Amino acid sequence: MQRPRLFVTRRLPQDVENRLMDTFETNLSTGEFADNSEKLIQHSQNVDGILCAPCDQIGADLIAKLPDRIRIISTFSVGYEHVDVAAAKKRNIVVTNTPGVLTDATADIALLLILGATRRAYEGERLIRENKWTGWVPTQLMGIGLQGKRLGILGMGRIGQAVAVRAKAFGMDIHYHNRRPVAFDATYHETAESLLAHSDVLSLHCPLTAETKGFLNEEAIEKMPQGAVVVNTARGPVVDDDALIAALKSGRLSAAGLDVFTGEPNLHAGYRDLPNTFLLPHLGSGTVETRNAMGFCALENLKAFFEGKTPPNVVA
């Protein structure tokens, strides 16, 4: 029996590629990978499915050009806004993602961002690397302690709750806003506006939707306590970059820790010059264990589909 053929748009962790090649016919042996839409269309002519990544923009125009033979797009990610789900559904193309496997890794990064931003880690490291540290002094790089501070979590799903567990261990008081209350020992706010007013540190964990795009704008920032800290491991476009940069420059906000950006890797240049930012290159899921789990999850979706079963993680 002929194995299903896949076009894989990016190199994957070795353990994932090994399992992939054991199950499917792929382009991995040729080293051909898409770096733009036209190449993706070109290399999708004789395959049954596509295994893509969040850096691939698979919009309606591209989906309309895909051959009828393609019946599934499996994305190596939790988020799937890079795939036009509605357009795929019109073509009877199933779209799957990889939820539930990167909770701990992303929550760890959120805590790293909180600590890095509040304790001025970038400024401290720069002193060392530029050989400008002249020794310990009582007033040098005084940051913000977390004990007793209010952590506001926007989006209390798996990752939000995992962050809350970690933050409690640091002595933080947990507040959150979600579409509905969850079974967690924390203060629930019915509105995002109420949450903002009670967030000494605001950690963003909401999905990117039409409603959340640009959520953290100038008006939202003005609702936050003076000198608050913003952390984002959700999606870059949830933040209005100009508004956040202006607030960091003026001192309205004291610091920000960011792992995701609008237009990444081409983030807003204004962030690079701000000493009160702790910036990471989208490392949320970046552990060997998590990236392997994501890949295996994507493969399970594909395997189930081609066996005539409903994949575990269908989004459309």
Side-chain angles (χ1 to χ4, degrees):
M1 181 178 178
Q2 186 175 4
R3 299 191 299 177
R5 294 183 60 83
L6 297 178
F7 179 64
V8 185
T9 64
R10 308 282 163 174
R11 293 310 302 253
L12 301 172
Q14 190 60 58
D15 287 347
V16 177
E17 289 192 352
N18 291 343
R19 189 176 296 187
L20 178 63
M21 294 177 74
D22 286 341
T23 311
F24 302 99
E25 295 294 333
T26 77
N27 57 304
L28 290 175
S29 60
T30 67
E32 294 177 346
F33 296 89
D35 56 12
N36 60 46
S37 297
E38 291 306 316
K39 282 192 176 181
L40 193 148
I41 294 169
Q42 175 187 345
H43 293 299
S44 297
Q45 293 307 305
N46 296 304
V47 300
D48 305 298
I50 296 172
L51 177 52
C52 68
C55 40
D56 301 309
Q57 297 302 313
I58 305 181
D61 290 345
L62 188 152
I63 289 173
K65 297 177 183 177
L66 293 176
D68 292 339
R69 177 172 170 175
I70 291 178
R71 296 179 288 146
I72 183 170
I73 298 173
S74 179
T75 183
F76 183 90
S77 60
V78 174
Y80 48 87
E81 62 272 5
H82 55 290
V83 180
D84 192 315
V85 172
K89 191 171 184 178
K90 288 180 180 178
R91 292 287 313 273
N92 293 316
I93 297 173
V94 171
V95 180
T96 65
N97 67 339
T98 63
V101 296
L102 47 69
T103 297
D104 287 327
T106 304
D108 288 347
I109 285 291
L111 260 293
L112 176 61
L113 291 172
I114 291 171
L115 289 167
T118 57
R119 295 302 299 271
R120 303 175 67 174
Y122 166 68
E123 295 171 88
E125 186 184 34
R126 189 171 62 174
L127 280 179
I128 296 290
R129 292 190 181 277
E130 296 179 0
N131 196 27
K132 293 180 179 179
W133 186 38
T134 58
W136 187 90
V137 294
T139 59
Q140 185 179 62
L141 294 181
M142 293 188 298
I144 300 168
L146 299 183
Q147 296 73 28
K149 296 298 189 300
R150 299 168 297 178
L151 174 63
I153 297 177
L154 183 69
M156 199 65 158
R158 294 187 186 98
I159 297 173
Q161 292 182 45
V163 170
V165 169
R166 288 157 172 76
K168 274 180 172 286
F170 282 85
M172 301 192 78
D173 181 22
I174 311 301
H175 295 247
Y176 73 97
H177 170 66
N178 206 47
R179 284 177 293 182
R180 61 186 65 87
V182 298
F184 196 92
D185 182 20
T187 302
Y188 173 66
H189 294 261
E190 291 188 357
T191 67
E193 290 72 20
S194 174
L195 177 71
L196 290 170
H198 292 82
S199 298
D200 300 311
V201 178
L202 176 68
S203 192
L204 301 172
H205 300 284
C206 55
L208 179 61
T209 65
E211 291 73 28
T212 62
K213 185 176 182 180
F215 163 79
L216 194 73
N217 55 21
E218 182 178 1
E219 182 180 357
I221 290 170
E222 283 303 311
K223 292 181 171 65
M224 298 181 68
Q226 174 64 34
V229 174
V230 168
V231 166
N232 188 12
T233 57
R235 291 291 181 269
V238 173
V239 171
D240 180 328
D241 289 331
D242 289 329
L244 179 55
I245 289 169
L248 291 167
K249 284 182 175 180
S250 70
R252 179 65 182 80
L253 296 177
S254 64
L258 307 173
D259 186 46
V260 290
F261 305 90
T262 297
E264 55 186 56
N266 301 311
L267 65 152
H268 194 302
Y271 287 121
R272 301 182 194 276
D273 299 325
L274 291 173
N276 54 343
T277 55
F278 186 71
L279 310 176
L280 296 176
H282 205 147
L283 295 182
S285 63
T287 67
V288 172
E289 296 85 354
T290 300
R291 293 283 169 83
N292 279 343
M294 291 170 66
F296 298 152
C297 182
L299 296 187
E300 285 303 312
N301 287 328
L302 289 161
K303 186 172 181 289
F305 177 82
F306 287 114
E307 289 176 350
K309 304 172 185 176
T310 301
N313 302 294
V314 175
V315 299

